[in-house]
Amino acid sequence: MTSKEVAEKKTAKTAHVDAAELDTWRNKALTFETSINGAIVGQERVIRLITIAVFARGHVLLEGDVGVGKTTLLRATARALGGDFERVEGTIDLMPADLIYYTYLGEDGRPRVDPGPVLRYGSDLAVFFFNEINRARPQVHSLLLRIMAERSVTAFNREYHFPYLQVFADRNRIEREETFELPAAARDRFFMEINIELPDDREVRRDLAFSTTFHDVDALVNSVQENVLDHTKLDGIARAIQSEIHTSEALERYALDIWQALRDPVGAGIVLEDIDMDRLVVGGASPRGMSYLLRAARVHAWLHGRDMVVPEDLREVFPETMGHRIFFDPIYELRRTEIVRRFIKAVFETVPAP
Amino acid sequence: MKRRLLLLTGLLLLAVGVVSGFVPGGAVAQDQAAPEETVSPVRSVRVSEPRDFGYFPGDLIRREIYIAIDSAYKLQPASQPAAGPLDYWLDLNSVELKEAESGGVRRYRLTLDYQSFYVPLEVKRRRLPGFTLDFVAEGGEKAAAAANIPPWSFLMSPLREIEASERPDEPAGFLKPDRAPRLNDTRPWQIGLGASLTVVLLGLLLLAYHYARWPFHKRAARPFTEGARAIRIYLRKPDRPESYRGGLLALHRAFDNAAGRRLFAEDMPGFLRSHAAYAPYDAEIDRFFESSRQVFFNDDLPGAKQHMPLKAIAALGDKLGAAERRQ
């Protein structure tokens, strides 16, 4: 039996999850959140989004300044999530083969070829970290795309499947030298692109700088409760959430209106100061993005104990699930972060709901 | 003695000659053709005169002079009389010259309009002066020609007797009452003025509206009042499902317009903080948003109607509208 069949059997077993079980899982999800919040302060929203990504089975790209705690956050998440976890540092000379196998001379002096970081744990791999993804070459990106999209990779003359795999990548946006910008197709495959910023709260900042608990990262990560969630059951739960949480016709219409407004802001009557709305959007907002948005919105509704998606859910998860899928005219691309924020705000302030 | 007699006779003859020279023999003739020498290029000069009697002060007299001349000649414009006062009693009001040419003959028609202001005490003869019209040949090879227009006299009469037997201001006296002034019909002008004033006023109003000037400058939008009005329309047919949805939507749009952006249930606390006038109704507003969620996002119309009937929504709209108008 291949690992894929095993996985299918397991998910089939968990496919029928009743409402009561969803409630217990919600409690688990909230515990998951709280335990990470205990280690990472001032990032409640980011942690909520990561929880959503975990329960929507989507890959996450983290972005932010150096030293704001991206890696710590991911380590804490991996620990709370349970399952095997592997990480790779992106460097300019990293080649796809380095992810799949590694070669060395054995004790007997003979050359050996062993599975690399991706294959080492076989199908039990739950979290794969890609640090500094923009330092890796496009060849590596394309391998990663395949792993993300198909959860499988071909190596040693057979196919490996990773049914529980969730990829977290991070990217710092300060450096541009010796980096390879992620192509639009790669970014589109990420479920969310989360921007991590320094917490605004002065008290939290003081804590981060002076409290000794935040100096020892290992101890901090170890303080996170381990294996809060059973990673083998997540797929089934995710499916149950998607089927149980209800989207009404009015909400679907609303989501379509939002989509239309993204692609044709002039038609929707959206005006942003000092921006030529005719030229702003050149493309993007893919159908895949829209389906991800609805997936995230359902999980958000579920976390709030609702069995229906409301516009607030869409609004809450929208910047992270759709923001990186909207492509601007090159003139505006340089001011992307600021314009995306204003644009999305304007869209939600303009499109009527329900 | 004989010499003196001779001198007297001579003077008498001279006087007779002078007098006969002043009074032209054929003055009474209406049309008179002056004989011309055959060598002159002027073919004919004819003066058409009006009657020569019965003129009163202020009367107009028109003389028309017809001249035919070789087409080689042209009238010198400077030789025709200039319009203007000619004497203390006589004005030349207008001079009009017409010219036509056919068959080697150039014809002129000169129309002169005189006006006499002479006030005679008895019937008196007056005289319009004669003048000479000069013609020059084109090219200047031939000699200049001239046409003499003789003077013309006529009789003017007084308007009233000198020794009045009646008092002048009595009915039979010469002072007649003034003629009543003619009243112009101003009705079309009044209508035109009214119409154009209306157009101007409308234009000003439109401009004021366009620039949001007085009286349009600060009429605040009344979203809840409008919303409540819309809900009342739905209230007429409360059993139709569209009515309930329509009522909810009307109030949603009212909230949106009041906030200037789209408001969701989660935004309500913030909205009520910034619009304190509506805060007293927060429980009702919460109920409204819950019902809206039930209808639109949970497809549960009966449950929502039970939770908050359309009447209650209309009542909430009225309350919010009243709160809005109190501001």
Side-chain angles (χ1 to χ4, degrees):
Chain A
M1 193 189 282
T2 65
S3 56
K4 190 179 182 183
E5 283 164 346
V6 173
E8 274 170 2
K9 230 178 160 182
K10 276 185 184 170
T11 49
K13 242 188 270 172
T14 51
H16 302 287
V17 182
D18 56 18
E21 201 172 346
L22 273 184
D23 281 344
T24 37
W25 271 92
R26 180 183 311 117
N27 291 334
K28 282 187 190 179
L30 297 177
T31 320
F32 172 78
E33 263 189 1
T34 346
S35 63
I36 300 175
N37 271 325
I40 315 287
V41 292
Q43 299 288 8
E44 287 79 9
R45 181 176 151 77
V46 173
I47 291 164
R48 167 52 55 103
L49 288 165
I50 286 181
T51 313
I52 292 172
V54 165
F55 281 93
R57 308 309 298 141
H59 311 294
V60 176
L61 179 63
L62 294 180
E63 206 183 38
D65 275 356
V66 183
V68 288
K70 294 189 293 285
T71 314
T72 316
L73 172 62
L74 289 189
R75 284 176 63 190
T77 309
R79 190 179 160 85
L81 201 53
D84 292 315
F85 138 75
E86 192 55 73
R87 71 182 276 181
V88 164
E89 303 294 328
T91 56
I92 192 160
D93 56 353
L94 184 78
M95 294 305 280
D98 297 333
L99 296 179
I100 291 169
Y101 57 82
Y102 89 107
T103 55
Y104 63 104
L105 288 177
E107 280 173 17
D108 51 4
R110 292 169 66 176
R112 294 275 182 80
V113 180
D114 272 359
V118 174
L119 305 184
R120 188 172 300 145
Y121 295 104
S123 56
D124 259 350
L125 184 64
V127 172
F128 186 76
F129 254 27
F130 209 117
N131 248 5
E132 307 246 21
I133 189 172
N134 55 341
R135 290 197 174 279
R137 292 166 161 278
Q139 295 97 310
V140 181
H141 291 164
S142 65
L143 174 76
L144 199 68
L145 280 189
R146 166 146 189 217
I147 297 177
M148 279 162 55
E150 297 169 20
R151 291 194 166 135
S152 71
V153 69
T154 313
F156 299 107
N157 298 327
R158 72 180 185 88
E159 221 168 317
Y160 285 81
H161 287 272
F162 311 99
Y164 316 120
L165 179 68
Q166 190 170 13
V167 174
F168 289 92
D170 82 1
R171 167 171 83 150
N172 86 54
R173 58 173 183 207
I174 301 295
E175 281 151 316
R176 300 243 173 226
E177 278 172 41
E178 291 196 351
T179 61
F180 296 90
E181 195 46 55
L182 281 178
R187 294 177 73 181
D188 197 42
R189 254 167 246 210
F190 279 103
F191 181 72
M192 279 185 184
E193 197 169 301
I194 304 175
N195 215 330
I196 302 189
E197 277 169 12
L198 197 61
D200 283 333
D201 190 345
R202 206 178 153 77
E203 204 48 37
V204 173
R205 286 187 180 184
R206 197 184 62 85
D207 255 9
L208 285 176
F210 295 103
S211 169
T212 47
T213 45
F214 298 108
H215 293 178
D216 185 351
V217 174
D218 287 329
L220 195 62
V221 171
N222 286 336
S223 73
V224 174
Q225 195 184 337
E226 236 181 324
N227 298 338
V228 182
L229 307 174
D230 180 353
H231 67 279
T232 58
K233 290 190 179 146
L234 279 177
D235 260 11
I237 295 300
R239 217 160 303 174
I241 293 170
Q242 295 302 319
S243 62
E244 287 298 311
I245 307 297
H246 166 79
T247 56
S248 70
E249 195 197 323
L251 185 102
E252 283 160 16
R253 210 169 42 232
Y254 177 64
L256 288 175
D257 286 348
I258 293 272
W259 195 9
Q260 181 63 30
L262 280 187
R263 300 199 65 114
D264 176 21
V266 177
I270 294 166
V271 179
L272 292 182
E273 204 182 328
D274 74 34
I275 288 173
D276 180 359
M277 297 309 290
D278 270 332
R279 294 180 57 190
L280 179 64
V281 179
V282 293
S286 61
R288 174 173 24 216
M290 284 308 286
S291 80
Y292 280 173
L293 171 70
L294 265 300
R295 249 164 85 178
R298 283 198 184 93
V299 178
H300 188 267
W302 170 71
L303 283 175
H304 278 83
R306 269 184 288 169
D307 60 354
M308 58 182 164
V309 180
V310 295
E312 287 93 320
D313 296 321
L314 293 182
R315 188 172 65 181
E316 196 56 32
V317 298
F318 197 88
E320 281 74 17
T321 47
M322 288 300 283
H324 61 286
R325 291 177 225 272
I326 310 166
F327 300 107
F328 292 153
D329 189 277
I331 283 187
Y332 300 118
E333 201 63 47
L334 289 174
R335 291 155 59 201
R336 183 179 183 84
T337 324
E338 172 237 337
I339 294 179
V340 161
R341 195 172 295 158
R342 279 166 60 199
F343 182 41
I344 291 177
K345 187 165 179 277
V347 166
F348 277 94
E349 286 185 355
T350 311
V351 177
Chain B
M1 188 68 194
K2 198 176 176 181
R3 264 178 72 187
R4 281 177 87 177
L5 195 72
L6 204 69
L7 191 68
L8 208 64
T9 317
L11 274 174
L12 197 68
L13 275 173
L14 194 70
V16 167
V18 167
V19 169
S20 63
F22 264 106
V23 183
V28 183
Q30 294 284 311
D31 289 333
Q32 150 186 77
E36 286 295 326
E37 295 169 39
T38 46
V39 289
S40 168
V42 180
R43 304 277 180 84
S44 73
V45 175
R46 192 167 62 83
V47 184
S48 166
E49 314 282 14
R51 67 170 201 275
D52 61 350
F53 57 88
Y55 289 96
F56 296 106
D59 277 357
L60 295 169
I61 303 153
R62 167 169 288 192
R63 288 187 91 186
E64 280 183 338
I65 297 154
Y66 300 88
I67 297 167
I69 193 166
D70 281 358
S71 57
Y73 286 82
K74 275 199 111 140
L75 176 69
Q76 257 200 339
S79 68
Q80 50 176 306
L86 297 182
D87 209 334
Y88 72 93
W89 62 275
L90 185 65
D91 276 5
L92 177 52
N93 283 351
S94 71
V95 179
E96 194 191 324
L97 183 71
K98 284 221 168 134
E99 182 184 343
E101 193 199 345
S102 67
V105 180
R106 196 186 297 280
R107 294 176 195 283
Y108 287 103
R109 189 183 79 189
L110 187 63
T111 309
L112 303 167
D113 280 326
Y114 294 91
Q115 189 171 18
S116 165
F117 297 103
Y118 188 73
V119 183
L121 296 181
E122 56 183 352
V123 175
K124 195 115 188 188
R125 184 167 293 281
R126 305 306 298 174
R127 183 203 292 256
L128 298 184
F131 49 92
T132 305
L133 292 173
D134 292 331
F135 297 88
V136 283
E138 280 176 329
E141 290 143 18
K142 295 178 190 167
N148 275 315
I149 311 300
W152 178 73
S153 67
F154 58 96
L155 291 172
M156 285 196 76
S157 312
L159 280 170
R160 60 175 180 91
E161 52 189 349
I162 297 168
E163 294 291 330
S165 53
E166 304 280 338
R167 282 171 53 90
D169 47 353
E170 276 173 7
F174 64 84
L175 276 183
K176 300 294 178 195
D178 285 344
R179 196 195 282 177
R182 196 172 64 123
L183 286 179
N184 287 340
D185 184 10
T186 57
R187 211 178 148 68
W189 295 100
Q190 286 172 2
I191 292 171
L193 181 69
S196 35
L197 279 181
T198 316
V199 168
V200 167
L201 204 66
L202 272 177
L204 285 177
L205 277 176
L206 277 176
L207 266 183
Y209 182 76
H210 184 67
Y211 289 109
R213 294 282 170 82
W214 188 91
F216 303 102
H217 61 312
K218 58 177 180 188
R219 184 185 170 278
R222 300 225 187 281
F224 286 115
T225 312
E226 283 166 26
R229 200 174 301 145
I231 298 171
R232 273 199 295 278
I233 294 171
Y234 289 116
L235 206 53
R236 286 179 205 155
K237 287 178 181 166
D239 294 331
R240 288 162 56 183
E242 306 92 274
S243 294
Y244 193 75
R245 285 170 199 270
L248 287 173
L249 281 179
L251 201 52
H252 268 301
R253 291 298 89 84
F255 273 114
D256 290 353
N257 291 337
R261 61 196 177 92
R262 305 296 169 184
L263 271 190
F264 301 156
E266 282 180 5
D267 307 328
M268 279 327 289
F271 174 76
L272 291 180
R273 265 198 303 282
S274 57
H275 297 71
Y278 312 120
Y281 311 108
D282 60 342
E284 287 286 280
I285 293 173
D286 279 350
R287 211 153 71 113
F288 159 72
F289 272 99
E290 280 161 20
S291 307
S292 162
R293 272 189 177 176
Q294 287 300 316
V295 172
F296 289 111
F297 303 121
N298 210 16
D299 295 330
D300 181 13
L301 184 62
K305 272 186 166 175
Q306 208 171 4
H307 190 64
M308 188 170 191
L310 187 56
K311 262 195 178 144
I313 295 173
L316 174 62
D318 287 341
K319 282 184 209 161
L320 291 173
E324 172 183 70
R325 289 191 294 275
R326 273 199 296 275
Q327 278 180 337

